[in-house]
Amino acid sequence: MKKIFVSLLLTGVLSFSVKAQVKTPQPSPTCEIEQTVGLTNFEIEYSRPGAKGRTVFGDLVPYGKIWRTGANKATQFEVNTDVKVNGKELKAGKYAIFTKPGKDSWDVYWYNETEIWGTPDSWVDSLVACSVNVKPQSLNDMVESFTIAWEDVSNGAYGTLAISWEKTKISLKIEVPTEDLAMKSIEQTMAGPSANDYYRAASYYLEIGKELDQARTWITKACEMKGTEPFWYWRKKSLIEAKLGMYADAIKSAQTSLESAKKAGNDDYVKMNTESIAEWEKKK
């Protein structure tokens, strides 16, 4: 009986040791911020170390050396359109932000390798997508936790990204192409549906068997807009026409799809069109 009790006790202890996990707060908690400026979306993820009474810049963070700009994993910066940072071009993409703090000036880098813990083992200049030099600003009030925040977000033209810690702050003016994006959207909308819009609508109507005459009108419009190259457009047109019993038209469309598929080297569409043409020839 004692052996059984001991065995059960050990089993319980082992089970507890496997399942139990001690949870404590992170010394440098992770922060994620999202910001829309005009029609451009930004996502930033970084860790926030505390000053804790230490002298930060020039000591904890040495002057003249690459810094991860935070703690733990390098700060992540993602933007979905091309932008300008202090007048410098930065392409849409995901980057790691590194800085080289100095007493009188900072260098800020957007680096094309993002999965880095700390700083790169070997710095590669060709991976720098954009770099700017900025003057640091002295603050009167203490910023205990390292902070990245958006300030002065304008109505579609730019936003100011501020990086602050201890009594130092740098500001980055990020301009966004809102007017260009808005004009492009207006032009596309005013021009009416695209060929892909017509194609998708026709495909859906074919799939659910709804108003196939309307589906044929849409797919015909799509084919007129795109020409003979997209063989999958013409394949869809042939299938709609066959569903309508318009076999002569379906064969013509399938033949266009067949020839385009041959040029593109798509054997699957060549086979499908060849088989359909043979089938529909018997039904004319």
Side-chain angles (χ1 to χ4, degrees), residues 89-197:
E89 298 281 349
L90 177 66
K91 296 293 185 182
K94 186 174 182 179
Y95 305 96
I97 293 182
F98 294 105
T99 51
K100 186 187 291 183
K103 186 176 181 179
D104 299 315
S105 69
W106 283 41
D107 292 319
V108 186
Y109 306 93
W110 281 261
Y111 203 70
N112 267 311
E113 187 177 344
T114 60
E115 298 303 312
I116 300 173
W117 191 271
T119 56
D121 293 332
S122 178
W123 186 262
V124 181
D125 287 335
S126 62
L127 292 178
V128 176
C130 176
S131 66
V132 298
N133 181 267
V134 295
K135 297 289 184 183
Q137 173 187 347
S138 295
L139 302 174
N140 293 323
D141 297 325
M142 176 72 176
V143 178
E144 171 60 28
S145 297
F146 174 71
T147 301
I148 299 177
W150 287 95
E151 300 177 350
D152 305 325
V153 177
S154 76
N155 185 21
Y158 68 90
T160 301
L161 189 65
I163 299 176
S164 311
W165 198 15
E166 196 188 24
K167 289 193 173 184
T168 299
K169 171 182 174 180
I170 63 169
S171 298
L172 303 162
K173 183 178 180 180
I174 302 184
E175 299 173 81
V176 295
T178 303
E179 184 176 338
D180 290 343
L181 294 172
M183 292 302 296
K184 184 177 180 181
S185 175
I186 290 169
E187 289 169 3
Q188 288 177 341
T189 302
M190 295 300 105
S194 68
N196 283 334
D197 292 329

Side-chain angles (χ1 to χ4, degrees), residues 204-231:
Y204 179 67
Y205 269 32
L206 174 61
E207 183 179 340
I208 64 174
K210 177 182 175 68
E211 297 182 34
L212 294 178
D213 286 323
Q214 179 62 69
R216 183 171 185 259
T217 298
W218 284 334
I219 195 64
T220 299
K221 182 68 174 176
C223 290
E224 288 172 351
M225 293 172 73
K226 282 288 191 176
T228 60
E229 186 175 340
F231 49 84

Side-chain angles (χ1 to χ4, degrees), residues 59-81:
D59 189 0
L60 178 64
V61 178
Y63 288 140
K65 291 187 178 180
I66 297 294
W67 178 44
R68 73 185 77 184
T69 317
N72 304 323
K73 187 177 180 180
T75 292
Q76 308 287 292
F77 179 100
E78 188 168 4
V79 59
N80 70 332
T81 72

Side-chain angles (χ1 to χ4, degrees), residues 15-37:
S15 176
F16 176 79
S17 65
V18 169
K19 293 180 180 179
Q21 293 182 347
V22 176
K23 294 183 178 180
T24 59
Q26 293 181 346
S28 301
T30 300
C31 179
E32 296 181 16
I33 55 176
E34 296 182 0
Q35 180 67 54
T36 298
V37 183

